[in-house]
């Protein structure tokens, strides 16, 4: 999402990444603090002082977001749920949970940990501001601490809005789940609330924009769109996971895949395979064992006048991990592998033998039928 992320550091065993969009947020925050908020709150200081305050405020926000996400991640880890890491991006932070919680209680504590952490941090910053004031520290330094106290309170309140996948939405889902015992329906309702809240923000954004608050309006509009999209996506993700749960790749693969014997000449490959099948890549086999793959691009690297005497086996390339999957692998993991590697076909193997082909279209068709059956 939003393109490239880069690694920053590891803390408590979690990898912290920042998305390129976070840089935009960092600049925007620094600028709006230094050019607008602080000059308004503490008039009469030098511009360089305002920029320094803006920078400290931005770093404080970074720390606050990280603290919030770390608390989610620590609780998740305590319940044995794998966390992929923490990514900061345009709209804040995200702890990447790699599995859904198994019980409503786990979900509740994992979700509420973030807002609790933010409230605690808000208290610490406010207290620091009050103590600094009492000690006679210049007003504008105490003021930055006061601002961070306010920001953390805002983070806690905003995240507690009951729309999935925000923290409040997760708490709401945990409650519904506990009450109904049905995780899918609980997620559906929490997701609908999230979509509704997203649309409300979009409407507020448009209203704001039309009333002359261009930047604020745009901001709410974008956050609303993002929340709505995330709410839809997280429900769909769950439905997919539930549908494929416990299924292996074997169930969805097409057996008898088109494979190219390694002693085929490139000319034969072009005539008999490339022209007849609309595949991007073709597995190459020798005695049933997977040797690698070949493709149109691969053929193009070989001079045309040698096609009749060059064997496919001599020019094929090795498959990377991303393009093969074991027949007994979990179907959910195979789907995620396809999404990560952006490939719509995986070669299914059993040891070093090719036994089938997993095609994204077949998986999606299964999910589609399953979803329609469940609606009725
Ligand atoms: Zn949170």
């Amino acid at each position: 999402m939003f393109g490239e992320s880069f690694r920053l550091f590891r803390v408590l065993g979690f990898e912290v990444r920042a998305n390129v969009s976070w840089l935009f947020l960092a600049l925007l925050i620094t600028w709006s603090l230094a050019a607008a908020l602080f000059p308004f709150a503490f008039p009469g200081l030098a511009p360089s002082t305002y920029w320094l305050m803006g920078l400290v405020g931005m770093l404080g926000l970074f720390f606050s977001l990280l603290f919030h996400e770390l608390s989610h991640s620590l609780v998740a880890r305590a319940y044995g749920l794998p966390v992929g890491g923490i990514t900061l991006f345009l709209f804040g932070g995200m702890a990447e949970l790699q599995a859904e919680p198994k019980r409503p209680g786990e979900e509740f504590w994992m979700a509420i940990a973030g807002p609790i952490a933010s409230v605690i941090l808000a208290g610490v910053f406010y207290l620091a501001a009050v103590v600094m004031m009492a000690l006679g520290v210049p007003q504008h330094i105490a003021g930055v601490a006061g601002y961070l106290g306010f920001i953390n309170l805002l983070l806690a309140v905003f995240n507690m809005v009951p729309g999935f996948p925000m923290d409040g939405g997760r708490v709401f889902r945990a409650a519904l789940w506990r009450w109904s015992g049905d995780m899918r329906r609980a997620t559906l309702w929490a997701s609908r609330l999230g979509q509704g809240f997203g649309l409300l923000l979009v409407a507020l954004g448009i209203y704001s924009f039309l009333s002359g608050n261009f930047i604020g309006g745009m901001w709410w509009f974008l956050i609303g769109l993002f929340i709505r999209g995330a709410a839809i996506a997280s429900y769909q993700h769950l439905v997919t996971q539930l549908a494929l749960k416990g299924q292996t790749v074997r169930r969805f693969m097409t057996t008898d895949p088109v494979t190219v014997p390694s002693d085929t000449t490139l000319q034969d490959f072009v005539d008999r395979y490339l022209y007849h099948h609309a595949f991007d890549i073709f597995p190459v086999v020798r005695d049933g064992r997977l040797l690698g793959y070949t493709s149109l691009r691969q053929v193009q690297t070989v001079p045309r006048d040698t096609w009749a005497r060059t064997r496919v086996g001599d020019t094929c390339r090795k498959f990377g991990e991303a393009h093969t999957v074991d027949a007994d692998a979990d179907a959910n993991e195979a789907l995620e592998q396809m999404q990560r590697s952006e490939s719509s076909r995986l070669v299914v193997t059993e040891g070093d033998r090719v036994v089938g082909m997993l095609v994204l279209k077949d998986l999606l068709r299964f999910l589609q039928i399953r979803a329609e059956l469940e609606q009725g």
Side-chain angles (χ1 to χ4, degrees), residues 295-317:
S295 59
L296 171 63
R297 190 168 306 165
Q298 202 54 40
V299 172
Q300 283 171 322
T301 63
V302 180
R304 190 182 280 262
D305 53 345
T306 61
W307 283 4
R309 51 177 200 276
T310 310
R311 309 274 165 194
V312 163
D314 299 330
T315 63
C316 71
R317 292 172 61 94

Side-chain angles (χ1 to χ4, degrees), residues 68-69 72 111 114-115 159 167:
H68 178 108
E69 299 308 329
H72 285 307
N159 273 291
D167 299 339

Side-chain angles (χ1 to χ4, degrees), residues 25-305:
L25 180 72
L27 282 175
L28 187 74
I29 294 278
T30 311
W31 173 73
S32 54
L33 289 179
L37 186 80
F38 289 145
F40 173 78
F42 311 102
L45 300 170
S48 60
T49 309
Y50 290 130
W51 281 104
L52 192 64
M53 290 165 74
L55 201 65
V56 173
M58 183 271 286
L59 290 174
L61 174 71
F62 176 86
F63 169 75
S64 303
L65 287 172
L66 190 61
F67 190 75
H68 178 108
E69 299 308 329
L70 264 179
S71 60
H72 285 307
S73 308
L74 284 172
V75 175
R77 187 157 74 186
Y79 281 121
L81 295 165
V83 179
I86 294 169
T87 303
L88 298 174
F89 68 112
L90 186 57
F91 302 123
M94 199 173 350
E96 283 143 31
L97 214 58
Q98 289 180 328
E100 289 286 335
K102 285 169 225 62
R103 276 175 288 276
E106 291 179 6
E107 164 107 278
F108 174 81
W109 287 112
M110 217 171 61
I112 202 88
I116 289 178
S118 292
V119 167
I120 292 174
L121 208 53
V124 169
F125 276 122
Y126 272 127
L127 198 68
V130 169
V131 169
M132 280 196 261
M133 299 273 241
L135 291 177
V137 173
Q139 206 198 7
H140 62 272
I141 296 178
V144 176
Y147 159 77
L148 287 172
F150 171 72
I151 279 292
N152 273 286
L153 202 60
L154 202 68
L155 267 179
V157 171
F158 187 74
N159 273 291
M160 278 311 285
V161 166
F164 195 79
M166 298 173 71
D167 299 339
R170 284 190 167 270
V171 168
F172 176 68
R173 174 171 89 152
L176 272 185
W177 180 7
R178 172 102 188 220
W179 173 66
S180 69
D182 185 338
M183 187 207 206
R184 191 186 66 84
R185 287 184 68 85
T187 311
L188 177 63
W189 283 101
S191 156
R192 283 186 180 157
L193 209 60
Q195 292 174 44
F197 178 65
L199 283 181
L200 186 73
L201 284 188
V202 166
L204 265 173
I206 293 174
Y207 175 77
S208 245
F209 189 87
L210 293 179
S211 328
N213 179 5
F214 298 117
I215 296 192
M218 278 258 284
W219 201 238
W220 288 121
F221 181 83
L222 287 177
I223 293 181
L225 273 190
F226 172 73
I227 289 179
R228 181 170 176 277
I232 294 173
S234 22
Y235 176 64
Q236 280 169 350
H237 182 68
L238 178 84
V239 169
T240 304
Q241 274 200 325
L242 289 178
L244 296 182
K245 197 175 168 184
Q247 312 267 16
T248 60
V249 165
R250 193 183 298 280
R251 175 170 173 187
F252 302 102
M253 71 185 190
T254 42
T255 47
D256 250 339
V258 174
T259 55
V260 187
S262 61
D263 55 2
T264 313
T265 63
L266 289 188
Q267 190 59 57
D268 277 348
F269 168 66
V270 170
D271 295 339
R272 299 200 343 245
Y273 293 89
L274 213 47
Y275 278 127
H276 288 277
H277 306 279
F279 304 149
D280 294 334
I281 56 175
F282 295 79
V284 176
V285 293
R286 178 180 292 155
D287 306 325
R289 286 170 207 286
L290 183 62
L291 212 61
Y293 70 89
T294 190
S295 59
L296 171 63
R297 190 168 306 165
Q298 202 54 40
V299 172
Q300 283 171 322
T301 63
V302 180
R304 190 182 280 262
D305 53 345

